[in-house]
């Protein structure tokens, strides 16, 4: 394999020696080697006994940190929440560029939100997006959500049944909440009967009207209109109350599944924790930017959340100029304490998945006054590095982090993907076992990469991490036995270093 | 303080004036001292010096304003700068041109300095990012109004007994939440050691107690809804303009109720010191946040604020026009 | 240091006294005469000249201070703005003979700026120039009426006038321009 393989090329022979293998499906991790031939894992050799058990609830800092190889091999990541902008905003992203970015970020599966222009609210659009994915030649699997309401207008239900038949894996008006509580209740029940989850963006629009940044110290000092934590938490509380009502009052076959996406506050995590303890059918996710960044980034503070928690920015000079539009995102970057609460939710299993909410935007939409800038961070390529930074800081054991990027989201999807058109062939997240299709990511944690407009494959260069060097470099992403991304020179160099 | 940070010996080294939170006490002292010299010029028969001859100052206001715009214009003209006025209503701004494009156009037309007012907090930072000259913030959203805060400080030092604000109890009264004047005054007054109080109805104080609590202990900031407690023993009271649209947002029941509970009147002012100064950044709603009998009375320094505004803006235009890397400023032929 | 003393404390005192006599002689007395020092070292020198006149004439002419910063023609060339020291002219300049006092006369640009500044305050009947050291290299058609000492210099040299009020000692040194200042 002298030449760098092209995306889509079948993996004839691929070998990783002396790496750190993480297999969340079988709850194993340890030193070992792995060989792929003809698109399948043919050998997995553990050097000694892998540490087993799905002990995801250990306190993180007491976890033994054995000296481990710097190259990690894990199942390719699954992202439940991306925006690929097609149809409608091909200047910001296309399905093809979005899948290339996903592969560069280590993701083998992405689930595209329905807030395109027009919104994906009919079978034709669901199928059109699937067709774009096929045409891209990328092996990265794309699933699509349908809109919850027709035209995402929040008035009437979308063509849920038809879209489910066409392969929609769930429904969401993401970008906005379903503000009408009655419509939300009906949508939850109706989707449930179709075996589909409802993915809700929790936000109380009355509390967030005109909001520019998290309502807190930074927004107060910078004079930005506040997006209060209560604006999310009251919506989460409403959604959970309605979920309980649907469970209690509708036919059992309605079997609702509520998935709350991009939770950003400590209070939201607490609400979900209690709801799960009460047995409600709810799952949730958080994003890498809410885990690693914080509201201080709006003011130019460039420390990670866990570095800033004990010494908040309170005005004056920071690392960078304030009002960087790339920090504008919905929900907004919260306090360092909120970020730490999200990590805590990952540790105790309250949070099921890490999703990127990859939201590419053009410079035209971003290089404007802060409050006029489009919301969103182009984040699918920096996600792995940000999560690993938190692992490095001791906030989460590596295996739990990998789990939240693989098996966690896989389980949120449930059985629905087995009936989806492109998911039928192979398991999305196979274990690292002989005979499984090669769905793998290879990451060099010793090496870093510079986040620049050139290194980002996404059309969206709207990342507050631009100009920064991040640890954790994806060397290869394999999907269904094909190369989605490979930096082969890097693979060889890293493997040579590991072997030496 | 290291010598390098001491503006009084090392000079001014801020390329822009975007916020006052970057200014050290010695930076502020330098502005005050330079403004004193500018005030001397204003007292001359011909209040004009050739200092900024050949410098083009573009005044780019996206929000209606009379006094700040005119004050900057007079200040620039007193320094012999060429002044270009762009009001949002008469420019391509209304045709949807982006701020960045406007700044590039203004630069191509020869601007050396831009004085900017904008309804969005942070907009001057975007201008500074694309403009190769100097940007002065003439007020951005709720965020900052640096020249107003500096002229308020100048006026206080001019009129307070002893000529300093350190240790003096100063009250800002009214709609703090939406006020860039209040935010900038929080920085300048606490930097200079004042005992600063913020007072108003609770809906207009949201988030400010958190800020007060986060400040280091050498900055004294108290937030209260109790007007009597705020005014007790105050050396100066600054009433802020109350906007009509606050009623529509459900922040206040009525103007009348506001005026009864938080209006600065001859009666409520009795709680302050007998020699307390009354300030207002203008324009005033007489009968709402300030009683007509107070607006015009002898301890009102509102007209001083206007006059001092020109001197302070001259000082800032002068200092910023020459800001660059540190160099000794005394060698001359 | 390569600095060389070119005027001692006594030299400086004698030069001030001589200039004070020349001023009175040229003006024909002390009536309608005022002395104005250019900030910063011209100001103490102006006071000393006025004191000397007071001693030998019995009348001390009024003294003012002039800050010429706002009138400099090189503001766009300096790295940052000079700190303004202040102007204080406690008299009406109209119909007075004003003697501008500075420490060193070099390019003539300061003297030009001082004249512009003075004229903004009114119309003096005459303006004269007194300097402690004339080091040559004029760039404008300006000459001093009263000179303490003519010192031939090269452009890479610097004349440092020290006065007790600011420097703790009265003396004049001739020094090499350090390379950093040469750049500026």
């Amino acid at each position: 394999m002298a030449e760098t393989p092209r995306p889509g090329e079948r993996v004839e022979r691929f070998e990783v020696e002396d790496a750190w293998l993480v297999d969340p499906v079988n709850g194993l991790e340890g030193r070992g080697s792995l060989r792929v031939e003809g698109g399948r894992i043919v050998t997995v050799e553990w050097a000694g006994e892998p540490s087993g058990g799905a002990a995801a609830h250990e306190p993180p800092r007491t976890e033994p940190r054995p000296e481990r190889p710097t190259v990690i091999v894990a199942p390719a990541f699954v992202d439940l929440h991306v925006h690929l902008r097609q149809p409608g905003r091909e200047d910001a992203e296309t399905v093809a560029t979005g899948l290339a970015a996903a592969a560069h970020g280590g993701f083998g599966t992405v689930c595209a939100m329905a807030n395109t222009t027009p919104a994906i609210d009919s079978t034709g659009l669901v199928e059109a997006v699937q067709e774009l994915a096929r045409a891209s030649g990328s092996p990265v699997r794309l699933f699509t959500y349908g809109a919850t309401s027709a035209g995402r207008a929040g008035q009437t239900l979308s063509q849920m049944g038809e879209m489910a038949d066409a392969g929609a894996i769930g429904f969401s008006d993401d970008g906005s909440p379903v503000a009408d509580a009655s419509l939300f209740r009906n949508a939850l029940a109706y989707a449930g009967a179709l075996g589909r989850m409802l993915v809700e963006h929790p936000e109380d629009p009355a509390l967030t009207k005109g909001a520019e940044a998290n309502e807190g110290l930074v927004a107060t000092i910078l004079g930005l209109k506040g997006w209060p934590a209560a604006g999310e938490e009251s919506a989460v509380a409403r959604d959970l109350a309605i979920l309980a009502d649907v469970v209690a009052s509708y036919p059992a076959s309605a079997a609702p599944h509520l998935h709350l996406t991009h939770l950003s506050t400590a209070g939201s995590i607490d609400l979900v924790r209690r709801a799960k303890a009460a047995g409600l059918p709810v799952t949730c996710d958080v994003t890498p930017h809410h885990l690693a960044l914080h509201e201080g980034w709006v003011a130019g503070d460039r420390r990670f959340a866990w570095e800033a928690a004990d010494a908040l920015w309170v005005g004056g000079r920071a690392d960078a100029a304030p009002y960087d539009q790339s920090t504008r995102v919905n929900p907004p970057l919260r306090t360092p304490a909120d970020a730490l609460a999200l990590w805590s939710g990952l540790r105790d299993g309250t949070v099921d998945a890490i999703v990127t909410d990859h939201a590419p935007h053009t410079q035209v939409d971003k290089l404007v006054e802060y409050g006029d800038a489009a919301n969103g961070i182009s984040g699918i390529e920096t996600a792995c590095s940000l999560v690993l930074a938190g692992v490095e800081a001791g906030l989460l054991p590596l295996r739990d982090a990998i789990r939240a990027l693989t098996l966690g989201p896989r389980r949120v999807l449930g059985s629905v993907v087995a009936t989806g058109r492109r998911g039928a062939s192979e398991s999305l997240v196979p274990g690292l076992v002989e005979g499984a299709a090669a769905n793998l990511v290879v990451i060099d944690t010793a090496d870093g990469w510079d986040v620049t407009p050139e290194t980002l494959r996404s059309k969206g260069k709207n990342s507050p991490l631009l100009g920064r060097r991040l640890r954790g470099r994806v060397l290869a992403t394999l999907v269904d036995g094909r190369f989605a991304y490979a930096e082969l020179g890097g693979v060889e160099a890293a493997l040579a270093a590991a072997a030496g | 303080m290291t010598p390098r940070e001491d503006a009084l010996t090392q000079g001014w080294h801020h390329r822009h004036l975007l916020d006052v939170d970057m200014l050290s006490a010695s930076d502020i002292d330098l502005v005050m001292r330079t403004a004193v010299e500018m005030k001397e010029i204003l007292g001359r028969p011909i209040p004009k010096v050739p200092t900024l001859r050949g410098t083009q100052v573009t005044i780019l206001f996206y929000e209606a304003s009379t006094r700040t715009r005119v004050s900057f214009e007079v200040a620039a003209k007193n320094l012999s700068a060429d002044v270009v006025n762009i009001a949002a209503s008469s420019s391509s701004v209304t045709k949807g041109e982006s701020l960045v494009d406007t700044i590039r156009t203004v630069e191509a037309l020869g601007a050396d300095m831009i004085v900017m007012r904008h309804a969005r907090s942070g907009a001057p930072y975007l201008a500074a990012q694309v403009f190769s000259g100097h940007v002065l913030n003439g007020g951005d959203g709720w965020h900052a109004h640096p020249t107003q805060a500096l002229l308020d400080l100048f006026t206080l030092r001019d009129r307070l007994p002893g000529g300093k604000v350190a240790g003096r109890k100063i009250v800002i009264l009214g709609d703090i939440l939406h006020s860039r004047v209040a935010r900038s005054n929080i920085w300048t007054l606490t930097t200079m050691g004042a005992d600063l109080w913020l007072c108003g109805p609770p809906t207009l104080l949201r988030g400010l107690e958190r800020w007060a609590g986060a400040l280091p202990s050498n900055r004294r900031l108290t937030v209260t809804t109790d007007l009597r407690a705020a005014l007790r023993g105050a050396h100066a009271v600054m009433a802020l303009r109350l906007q009509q649209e606050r009623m529509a947002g459900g922040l206040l029941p009525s103007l009348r109720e506001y005026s009864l509970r938080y209006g600065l009147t001859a009666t409520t002012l009795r709680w302050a010191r007998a020699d307390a100064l009354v300030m207002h950044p203008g324009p005033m709603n007489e009968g709402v946040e300030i009683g007509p009998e107070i607006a015009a009375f002898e301890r009102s320094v509102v007209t001083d604020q206007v006059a001092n505004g020109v001197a302070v803006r001259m000082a800032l235009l002068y200092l910023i026009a020459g800001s660059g890397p540190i160099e000794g400023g005394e060698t001359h032929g | 240091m390569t600095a060389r003393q070119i005027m001692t404390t006594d030299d400086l005192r004698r030069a001030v006294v001589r200039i004070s006599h020349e001023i009175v002689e040229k003006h024909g007395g002390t009536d309608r005469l005022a002395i104005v020092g250019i900030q910063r070292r011209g100001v103490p020198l102006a006071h000393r000249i006025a004191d000397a006149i007071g001693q030998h004439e019995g009348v001390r002419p009024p003294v003012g201070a002039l800050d010429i910063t706002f009138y400099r023609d090189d503001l766009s060339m300096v790295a940052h703005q000079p700190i303004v020291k202040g102007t204080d002219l406690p008299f009406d300049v109209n119909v007075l003979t004003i003697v501008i006092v500075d420490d060193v006369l070099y390019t003539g640009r300061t003297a030009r700026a001082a004249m512009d500044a003075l004229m903004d305050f009114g119309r003096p009947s005459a303006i004269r120039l007194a300097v402690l050291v004339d080091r040559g290299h004029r760039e404008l058609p300006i000459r001093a009426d009263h000179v303490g000492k003519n010192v031939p210099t090269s452009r890479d040299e610097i004349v440092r006038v020290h006065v007790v009020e600011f420097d703790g000692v009265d003396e004049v040194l001739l020094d090499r321009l350090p390379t950093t200042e040469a750049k500026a």
Side-chain angles (χ1 to χ4, degrees), chain A residues 113-114 120 126 144-149 158-165 168-174 187 190-192 194-200 259:
Chain A
M113 280 298 168
I120 298 173
V126 171
T144 44
Y145 294 103
T148 304
S149 63
S158 63
Q159 303 299 316
M160 283 188 172
E162 289 179 19
M163 285 196 286
D165 292 344
I169 52 155
F171 300 100
S172 182
D173 274 359
D174 179 70
Y190 202 91
L194 295 168
R196 297 296 188 277
M197 63 177 160
L198 198 70
V199 178
E200 183 63 1
H259 182 77

Side-chain angles (χ1 to χ4, degrees), chain B:
Chain B
M1 181 177 299
T2 66
R4 204 177 164 77
E5 287 168 342
D6 187 350
L8 290 180
T9 57
Q10 294 294 314
W12 184 264
H13 56 273
H14 299 284
R15 182 179 150 199
H16 308 292
L17 181 70
L18 304 175
D19 193 0
V20 284
D21 68 343
M22 296 291 181
L23 302 186
S24 66
S26 79
D27 286 330
I28 292 172
D29 271 330
L30 178 59
V31 174
M32 297 294 113
R33 274 174 48 165
T34 308
V36 168
E37 302 307 324
M38 296 302 178
K39 212 171 171 185
E40 181 269 313
I41 291 171
L42 292 177
R44 295 181 190 177
I46 305 165
K48 192 173 178 103
V49 290
T51 317
L52 294 187
R53 208 167 47 193
T55 298
Q56 191 190 110
V57 176
T58 294
I59 302 181
L60 175 62
F61 270 42
Y62 285 82
E63 266 188 345
S65 154
T66 304
R67 65 184 65 208
T68 304
R69 187 180 57 71
V70 171
S71 179
F72 265 114
E73 183 164 350
V74 169
K77 285 180 171 168
N78 288 348
L79 293 171
S80 301
D82 300 317
V83 178
V84 175
N85 252 301
I86 302 178
S89 54
S90 66
S91 75
S92 56
V93 166
T94 48
K95 297 173 200 154
E97 185 180 61
S98 77
L99 175 61
V100 168
D101 286 342
T102 301
I103 299 296
R104 288 184 179 139
T105 304
V106 164
E107 175 156 7
L109 290 170
D112 299 298
M113 308 178 84
I114 292 175
V115 178
M116 182 173 164
R117 166 162 297 186
H118 200 287
R120 283 286 192 196
S121 297
Y125 288 83
L126 179 59
Q129 189 185 324
V130 294
F131 183 53
S132 66
H134 306 277
V135 177
L136 281 88
N137 184 357
D140 65 322
W142 305 350
H143 169 237
H145 196 342
T147 60
Q148 179 72 41
L150 290 164
L151 76 87
D152 289 339
L153 178 64
F154 187 91
T155 304
L156 283 165
R157 285 166 46 135
D158 199 39
R159 294 291 300 268
L160 281 174
K164 63 184 178 69
V165 300
R168 308 294 187 181
K169 181 172 179 180
I170 296 164
V171 182
I172 304 179
L173 173 61
D175 184 1
I176 313 288
L177 176 64
H178 303 96
S179 174
R180 54 189 168 223
V181 174
R183 279 185 179 74
S184 285
N185 267 299
I186 287 172
W187 286 118
T188 53
L189 292 174
T190 61
T191 298
M192 303 315 281
D195 176 17
L196 183 61
W197 288 58
L198 307 176
C199 180
T203 46
L204 301 178
L205 291 173
R206 195 169 72 229
L208 288 150
E209 203 153 39
R210 184 188 284 120
W211 186 359
L215 286 173
S217 58
N218 60 346
R219 291 184 186 264
R220 293 166 70 188
L221 182 64
T222 309
V223 180
T224 181
T225 56
D226 181 346
L227 182 62
R228 187 188 285 255
L231 291 181
R232 192 179 297 128
H235 292 82
V237 187
M238 181 187 306
L240 298 176
R241 180 178 172 81
L242 188 78
Q243 310 277 358
Q244 285 278 355
E245 59 259 34
R246 303 301 167 229
M247 312 309 131
L251 290 162
L252 295 170
S254 69
L255 283 181
R256 185 169 163 277
E257 179 161 332
Y258 178 83
S259 138
L260 283 173
R261 286 173 184 267
Y262 289 99
L264 194 60
T265 62
T267 312
T268 52
L269 194 58
R270 273 193 211 105
W271 293 330
R273 284 169 59 103
D275 59 355
L277 303 176
V278 172
M279 308 176 79
H280 194 296
M284 288 187 279
N285 295 311
E286 288 183 27
V288 181
E289 73 267 6
I290 193 163
E293 75 284 8
I294 300 294
F297 99 138
E298 61 199 17
R299 283 184 280 124
S300 160
V301 294
V302 174
T303 50
D304 293 46
Q305 287 174 278
V306 175
N308 292 337
V310 175
V312 167
R313 291 183 174 110
M314 285 170 74
L316 289 162
L317 286 166
Y318 165 73
L319 290 169
I320 285 166
S323 55
I326 299 288
E327 190 245 8
E330 269 197 88
T331 50
H332 54 75

Side-chain angles (χ1 to χ4, degrees), chain C residues 34-166:
Chain C
I35 316 290
V36 171
I38 298 179
Q39 294 278 20
R40 191 167 173 237
R41 288 181 176 73
V43 176
L45 292 174
H47 279 283
R48 292 188 205 183
I49 289 169
D51 290 346
I53 291 173
Q55 276 181 17
H56 52 75
E57 301 299 314
V59 180
R60 187 182 187 273
V63 178
L66 192 62
D67 189 310
I68 55 91
T69 306
F70 298 133
Y71 296 84
R72 286 173 59 156
D73 61 3
D74 61 349
L75 283 176
S76 60
M77 290 146 71
V78 298
H80 71 156
Q81 302 293 57
I83 291 161
V84 183
K85 304 295 193 308
T87 290
D88 180 25
L89 299 177
F91 41 75
D92 182 355
V93 301
N94 286 296
V95 306
L96 291 186
T97 290
I98 307 273
V99 180
I100 298 171
V101 179
D102 203 2
D103 53 352
V104 179
L105 178 60
Y106 183 23
T107 62
R109 289 176 190 274
T110 300
R112 196 278 308 162
M115 287 189 279
D116 281 355
L118 265 186
M119 307 271 214
D120 274 1
F121 285 86
R123 186 176 182 279
S125 33
I127 298 178
R128 309 206 190 286
L129 176 62
V131 297
L132 187 63
V133 174
D134 182 349
R135 59 167 294 189
H137 302 292
R138 214 75 76 242
E139 294 169 1
L140 297 174
I142 282 172
R143 64 166 186 82
D145 300 276
H146 313 290
V147 178
K149 186 181 176 76
N150 283 294
V151 180
T153 60
S154 68
R155 280 185 179 274
D156 59 358
E157 286 173 320
I158 186 167
V159 176
R160 298 188 192 278
V161 173
H162 291 161
V163 293
V164 163
E165 290 86 342
F166 300 133

Side-chain angles (χ1 to χ4, degrees), chain A residues 38-424:
Chain A
R40 290 193 174 271
I41 298 173
V42 290
T43 55
V44 178
E45 286 169 13
W46 298 92
E49 196 66 17
S51 65
H57 308 291
E58 286 176 25
R61 288 175 196 284
T62 59
E63 186 210 18
R65 305 276 294 277
E67 198 53 40
R68 60 187 185 215
T70 55
V71 171
I72 295 172
V73 179
F77 303 150
V78 177
D79 193 343
L80 295 176
H81 190 149
V82 300
H83 298 273
L84 300 186
R85 304 299 184 213
Q86 204 174 2
R89 285 308 302 267
E90 289 80 0
D91 54 339
E93 191 80 292
T94 63
V95 168
T97 58
L99 295 184
H104 180 230
F107 289 86
T109 304
V110 298
C111 304
M113 280 298 168
N115 64 335
T116 49
T117 316
I120 298 173
D121 64 352
S122 66
T123 54
L125 286 162
V126 171
E127 284 161 357
V129 172
Q130 291 295 336
E131 182 49 40
L132 287 168
R134 267 191 293 277
S136 75
S138 170
V140 174
R141 277 171 301 219
L142 174 74
F143 296 112
T144 44
Y145 294 103
T148 304
S149 63
R152 287 180 64 247
Q155 304 292 319
T156 55
L157 290 181
S158 63
Q159 303 299 316
M160 283 188 172
E162 289 179 19
M163 285 196 286
D165 292 344
I169 52 155
F171 300 100
S172 182
D173 274 359
D174 179 70
S176 330
V178 180
D180 181 323
S182 169
L183 183 70
F184 177 78
R185 181 167 70 162
N186 291 332
L188 199 51
Y190 202 91
L194 295 168
R196 297 296 188 277
M197 63 177 160
L198 198 70
V199 178
E200 183 63 1
H201 159 129
E203 173 179 352
D204 179 338
L207 281 171
T208 63
K209 191 177 166 203
E212 296 170 294
N214 179 48
E215 186 163 294
L217 189 57
V218 171
T220 300
I221 294 176
L222 294 181
L224 291 170
K225 296 189 184 76
W227 201 130
E232 176 172 304
E233 290 154 8
S234 61
V236 168
R238 180 205 77 164
D239 295 348
L240 292 171
I242 291 172
L243 176 63
D245 176 74
V246 172
V247 168
S249 310
Y250 287 72
S253 58
H257 173 190
L258 173 63
H259 182 77
L260 295 167
T261 191
H262 54 49
L263 295 184
S264 64
T265 76
S268 295
I269 300 298
D270 278 343
L271 288 165
V272 173
R273 187 176 286 128
R274 274 184 274 156
K276 282 190 164 184
L280 283 180
V282 61
T283 52
C284 71
D285 66 53
V286 300
T287 73
H289 49 270
H290 290 113
L291 286 166
L293 314 186
H294 56 97
E295 60 176 359
W297 281 61
V298 181
D301 185 349
R302 288 292 176 266
R303 294 173 297 168
F304 285 131
W306 47 89
E307 298 163 339
D310 296 328
L312 301 176
W313 175 85
V314 287
R317 200 172 295 276
D319 307 316
Y323 304 103
D324 177 352
Q325 298 87 347
S326 69
T327 63
R328 184 154 201 251
V329 61
N330 187 19
L333 299 177
R334 301 288 189 185
T335 67
D338 285 313
L340 293 179
L342 306 186
W343 286 105
S344 152
L346 281 165
R347 285 198 299 272
D348 70 10
T350 302
V351 177
D352 300 273
I354 295 172
V355 307
T356 68
D357 194 5
H358 175 66
H361 286 294
T362 62
Q363 180 161 303
V364 170
D365 290 336
K366 273 292 195 184
L367 196 58
V368 293
E369 295 85 329
Y370 193 85
D372 295 328
N375 274 308
I377 290 174
S378 177
I380 202 162
E381 294 166 84
T382 53
C384 173
S385 294
L386 290 184
V387 172
L388 287 176
V391 169
E392 185 69 23
L395 292 159
L396 189 68
L398 176 67
R399 63 180 154 202
D400 291 356
I402 297 291
R403 185 186 164 88
L405 286 162
T406 55
L407 190 63
R410 172 70 189 88
R411 289 198 171 152
V412 171
L413 286 172
S415 59
V416 64
V417 294
T419 61
R421 293 188 176 181
R422 285 165 58 86

